[in-house]
Amino acid sequence: MKKSNAKPAKISPELEKKIEELIGKMTLNEKVNQMLQLSYHALPAEEFNKKVEAGLQGSYLHVLGPETGRYNDGAASSRLGIMPMFGIDAVHGHALLHGATVFPSQLAMACSFDEELVEKIGLATAKEVAADGLDWVFSPVLCIGRDLRWGRVDETFGEDTLVVSRLGAAIIRGYQTDGLVAACAKHYLAYGEATGGRDAYDTEITERKARESFLPPFRAVVDAGCMTFMTAYGSIDGIPVMISRRYLREILKDEFGFDGFVVTDWANFQALVKRQYIAKDETEAAKLGVLAGNDMSMNTPEFERGCTEAVERGDIPMEFIDDAVRRILRVKARLGLLDGTRKRPDRSVIGCAEHEKLNYRAALESCVLLENNGILPLDRKKLGKVAVIGPNADDWRAQIGDWTFLSHPSPNPDAEPNDVNVTVLSGLRAALPDTEIVYEPGCVIEKEISDEESDRMMHAAIAAARDADVVVLVLGDDLAENGETKDRSDLTLYGRQNELARRISAVCQNVVTVMVTGKPLVLGEVKKCSAALLQCFNGGDLGGKAVAALLLGDENFSGKLPISFPYSTGTLPCYYNQYDYWHDGRYMDAPTTNLYYFGRGLSYSEFEYGDVKLSSDKISADGEFAVTVDIKNVSERDGVEVVQLYFRDLVCSRLTPVRTLIDFARVEIPAGETKTVTFRVPASSLGFVSEKYDNVVEPGDFRLFVSGDGEHFKTATLTVTE
Ligand code: GLC
């Protein structure tokens, strides 16, 4: 793939000069408005329109392309003519725009472990956003999805710090190719780790823990040239991140060298006064937030007066304002907004055939086969009647997930699907034109219906299953159960879904269950009822087409779980890289293991792993070593394997997780052939974060684990010498 121009172009001396001249000319009011991003939700219409006509706003959000005209006109007619940046939540495609390509969610695309694919998704999204007249994507989410009760797990790349780091950097390289759009690493910091999985709540982690698990993805994307960051709603150890000079100015800007700008999340400045009771008024809020390192306020109009007053009172020195404005103008310069060189692809790229093709590849790689008793792949010749049953079998809304034209910027439940959308039902109908396919939803998820209607649906589904050769049972969750403020205390399948699975499997033994969900749910019941079980997080517009092709063997599975599945909600957190337990189990009333582990994923191919070979069994703490393993595809089916390399320090002065992923690779292995996979590992990867925040590799023995499923391992032992 063409090496993308990941790091935004350095700014020319002429533009640096122009920026300094602008800052020299700008009034305080012009500077403060450059630091204020508004959406039409933020103000009464008349007041908002006045701001738009004045043309001083640094940025607008939730404006879609066709509406940008009046905003640009206002800016062009202003005294200095500084053009605004338009920001949008294009988090899995430019999906807020009806007709744009809706890719699989981040959690779904993470199942691919495919950095090249994710970078291409970033580039395709950037082209559609830029073509639509916008400039800035509030993406990627770099939160670590470890507490599954949290409502936004679907937006993460899963539970592993390395996977989040690598895929986050990949999608940013795609977004920022040739300065198409600015990316936005969010939500800084540890937003998903809040106590109880509660959205926007407090996270009780130490800085050491933050450096070990939560900061590395953000460091990785600074190194990839990410142009903007977004501060989280929440707090760490009782301090709202947006007023933490430690995390914003000292670590992000000084230590990591971040030279872009930081925008707050929605109305964070206002929250300091009205939700977190940290500031007595917006003047104090402005002082705390700007001094800590926030350069732009998202949607707190009061910021204008508060910040102006704080500067006039001397609470905020002008150099802090100038630094914020300089950072914003530099990003605008990189996007071509300061000198009229802004590049925009033609609108025909939006939802184009090339992106649809990429979307289909993404949907295929985002499906994970968890169980298969041999029923898959289905044989078309033996399919007289297929019963497609379940509430998510034909629910395109549940399939495409959150942050689309359905849910944002204003909820639009009556919208029609994109023309290209394919559900599991329509995908199977298209793939099996000569097979009798009957469809029954069987039950609802959380909609209110009468008992009579509920029983009727159940009986109709059982009747449809009774004489079917195969039942494809599609269960899960839907938009109402995923997203901001939608944390769940119980991850059991809603409604009568488990009952439906039990009763269907009582009349038909060939049940292929497809989970269409935003995040992991509790699947123990379903697993018992299924001859095969697929996990499909929100697969985007073509999710159903991919499922049909995979079930029929037209395509092969390659997806792996980027996140673990618990036996029950009470066993959370269930992420794989935890410490050993002192006693022989976590709970007296639940198994010690997860239902499914990070890294799992079956295939129609079968891979046999040879012994692990090390380039040396002894290395120095500043050395490097190679881990090599032969993997043979012993099946008759070409396949792709995601090879995972984990390690554990066997004796360490710090508690160490049972294993930690330090590398992974997607490897194509033709039927019958053997591929040699080699990982080159710096010894520093075997370190831990000390109290002084150094990365320390202690001498001693380390176990290396190579795996294709996160549960079965080939191992070798390495000694790090003094
Ligand atoms: C939301 C989200 C954030 C999003 C922003 C703009 O509340 O927390 O992820 O980018 O507001 O829509």
Side-chain angles (χ1 to χ4, degrees), residues 61-62 89 138 152 155 186-187 191 230 233 265-266 298 403 484:
L61 76 154
H62 293 169
D89 289 279
F138 300 131
R152 301 184 71 173
E155 296 181 53
K186 71 183 188 180
H187 308 77
Y191 173 36
M230 184 186 295
Y233 289 136
D265 200 341
W266 190 278
M298 178 190 289
W403 293 103
E484 211 168 315

